[in-house]
Amino acid sequence: TVTFSALKLSQVQYPAMEYCGEIHVANVGIPEKVYRESGFEAETTNNRMELTAVIRALAALREPCLVTLTTDSKYVCDAVTKGWVYGWKKRGWVKSDKKPALNADLWEQMLAQVARHDVRYHWVKGHASNEKNNRCDELAVMESRKFKK
């Protein structure tokens, strides 16, 4: 089982943003291993970084896994669990209100990664008491400090 504990972004240098992903690999009888990745992109948006964190975490998994994706992003969680993203894709990346779906390039990449795994989605409130989400907050802030001028 793999738990990806979600993405957190800081807006310290908006419009530049950071992402953070944390992967917990737990198998029966083997101690848990934790892998962390964080990064930075200039001239981006919060939603693009939320998607980037998921893509990078899922891409890091070398074989199909059962994944619990824990995120504080309603954008990511709701789009998948409520089926919106599948409708957008079916309509050529157009939403039900006839407006273009944003970030279609990243949604395509995320859906390709999701197709490789058995993904369960778990939303948590940001800046609350979720230890793993808070750790991602800390890592994203540390990443932003690397690029502060």
Side-chain angles (χ1 to χ4, degrees):
T1 300
V2 175
T3 301
F4 169 68
S5 178
L7 13 148
K8 190 55 208 161
L9 312 178
S10 99
Q11 296 183 1
V12 174
Q13 278 193 287
Y14 187 82
M17 297 209 144
E18 305 75 41
Y19 69 89
C20 167
E22 187 171 280
I23 300 171
H24 294 255
V25 179
N27 293 310
V28 177
I30 300 173
E32 180 178 79
K33 293 182 182 179
V34 179
Y35 304 91
R36 292 183 182 95
E37 179 182 339
S38 57
F40 174 90
E41 287 185 21
E43 302 300 321
T44 191
T45 65
N46 183 57
N47 287 341
R48 287 189 67 80
M49 295 311 293
E50 298 282 3
L51 288 165
T52 297
V54 174
I55 293 162
R56 299 261 172 96
L58 294 177
L61 303 173
R62 294 186 179 147
E63 58 188 53
C65 298
L66 172 60
V67 176
T68 302
L69 189 135
T70 303
T71 181
D72 65 3
S73 171
K74 292 295 266 178
Y75 177 67
V76 170
C77 196
D78 285 353
V80 178
T81 61
K82 294 182 178 184
W84 302 337
V85 70
Y86 303 105
W88 303 337
K89 183 176 180 178
K90 185 176 181 178
R91 290 187 296 274
W93 298 106
V94 175
K95 299 186 301 180
S96 60
D97 64 3
K98 309 294 184 220
K99 293 180 182 176
L102 300 177
N103 307 312
D105 59 327
L106 295 177
W107 282 114
E108 286 278 11
Q109 291 177 50
M110 184 181 143
L111 291 177
Q113 291 300 325
V114 166
R116 296 177 48 229
H117 306 287
D118 180 2
V119 182
R120 317 270 164 86
Y121 299 85
H122 177 68
W123 180 81
V124 295
K125 183 177 170 119
H127 308 287
S129 60
N130 185 283
E131 176 187 339
K132 294 173 184 173
N133 193 64
N134 290 341
R135 186 168 34 253
C136 280
D137 271 341
E138 292 167 13
L139 290 171
V141 169
M142 287 187 333
E143 190 70 30
S144 73
R145 290 183 181 140
K146 292 180 189 177
F147 297 94
K148 255 188 168 176
K149 295 178 181 175

